[in-house]
Each structure stands twice: as C-alpha cells, then as structure tokens.
Amino acid sequence: MDGTGFEDFVSREQPGLLRLAVLLAGDGGHAEDLVQTALLKTYRHWGRITRSGEPTAYVRRVLVTTHTSWRRRLSTTEQVVEALPDRADPAVVPDADEELRAALRSLPPRMRTAVVLRYYADLSEQQAAAAMGCSPSTVNTQTARGLQRLRAVLTGPVLTPVEEGA
C-alpha cells in the first residue's frame, strides 16, 4: 500500500479534522483520539477511497460516525466517580469562545453535529446529511432547533430598566 498520498492528506487535513472533532466531542483529548481512529479506519482502505474521488468527505463521515458510535457506547456504560465535581465559581466570567463551546456541549449530540457541520465545517445540507447518514430535511430540522437553543442560551434574558420613583 502506497502511504505517500495518505501522508500528504493527513498533513493537509488533520488540523481541520481536529477542529471539527473538538467541536463534536467538546474535549481536546477525546477529539485527538477521535481523529486518530478515523484516520486509522480510512488508512486501511485508502486505495479504494482515493479511487472514488476526493477523500475529505469520506474521512469526515468516518469521523462523525465514529463519534456517534463512541457516544452510544459511553451512554450505555456506568460511569463511576469518586466525588461530585466542583461547582463553577460564579465570580469568574467565561470568555466568549468558552461560552459558545459550553452552549454547544449543552445541545443533544445529533443536534450539535448538525450545527457544527453546517456552520463550522460550512457544509451544505446535502453534504451534512451524507456525513450524518440521514436526510437533508433532518439536518435542516436539527440545525434550526439547535440554533434556536443556542440563541436562547447565549443571549440570556432581556432586562428592562427600572422606572424611577416606582
């Protein structure tokens, strides 16, 4: 198997795949594992993948399906923790990027995947549907609902000024 085309692909596409994986997984370490696993899965069939055209969409699809399978596996296992996690300090104000990442993590996984693929990876509805293994109308619905939830979380309540003398 000739690995030079694969090596070029990895050096060119790995940073973008990692950014996508961080947004899907919400965790840098998990995202690195996700990218490595997706690249390993595609390396095994690299000749067949490159004969069918540009491999980026295929690798992105493998990344999304691997994330989905890991998420399903984790949701069915018991997670034991020694102590409850500390609560966040209310005096610390998160920066805008962290606030957005936290809002994305609050979305259900399928909804988060649709929003990330459409607006971060800049895929069309058809491309996102192919990556997620669903119909374009499902992507449209999940994206619209995800954006609605993100707007509610990120804008917060609207405060009205208190009238003087009241």
Side-chain angles (χ1 to χ4, degrees), residues 74 76-85:
L74 284 175
T76 61
T77 60
E78 183 177 334
Q79 297 178 2
V80 179
V81 294
E82 189 172 312
L84 292 175

Side-chain angles (χ1 to χ4, degrees), residues 1 6 9-10 35-49 55 58-60 62-63:
M1 178 184 307
F6 182 76
F9 174 81
V10 169
V35 170
Q36 290 301 319
T37 302
L39 290 173
L40 178 64
K41 287 179 177 181
T42 55
Y43 180 73
R44 293 178 193 156
H45 308 285
W46 189 248
R48 179 178 47 86
I49 294 167
Y58 185 89
V59 175
R60 192 180 300 123
V62 170
L63 185 84

Side-chain angles (χ1 to χ4, degrees), residues 13-83:
E13 297 293 331
Q14 188 173 19
L17 292 170
L18 184 58
R19 288 189 300 270
L20 177 64
V22 166
L23 291 174
L24 290 174
D27 171 88
H30 183 73
E32 289 174 358
D33 292 343
L34 187 61
V35 170
Q36 290 301 319
T37 302
L39 290 173
L40 178 64
K41 287 179 177 181
T42 55
Y43 180 73
R44 293 178 193 156
H45 308 285
W46 189 248
R48 179 178 47 86
I49 294 167
T50 55
R51 279 192 301 274
S52 65
E54 175 58 34
T56 305
Y58 185 89
V59 175
R60 192 180 300 123
R61 169 73 190 253
V62 170
L63 185 84
V64 169
T65 56
T66 302
H67 169 64
T68 302
S69 110
W70 284 6
R71 187 186 76 241
R72 285 181 183 149
R73 191 175 316 128
L74 284 175
S75 70
T76 61
T77 60
E78 183 177 334
Q79 297 178 2
V80 179
V81 294
E82 189 172 312

Side-chain angles (χ1 to χ4, degrees), residues 2 9 12 31 70 73 79 108 128 131 135 137 141 144 149 152 154-155 165:
D2 181 24
F9 174 81
R12 184 180 70 245
W70 284 6
R73 191 175 316 128
Q79 297 178 2
S135 71
S137 63
T141 301
R149 286 189 186 187
L154 294 174
T155 58

Side-chain angles (χ1 to χ4, degrees), residues 110-119 123-130 132-149 151:
R110 190 170 172 92
M111 198 176 286
R112 178 175 60 235
T113 302
V115 170
V116 167
L117 289 176
R118 287 283 288 131
Y119 292 99
L123 300 183
S124 69
E125 285 180 5
Q126 289 77 20
Q127 291 168 323
M132 291 174 65
C134 63
S135 71
S137 63
T138 300
V139 170
N140 189 17
T141 301
Q142 293 293 313
T143 303
R145 290 177 181 167
L147 290 176
Q148 183 180 18
R149 286 189 186 187
R151 283 186 195 106

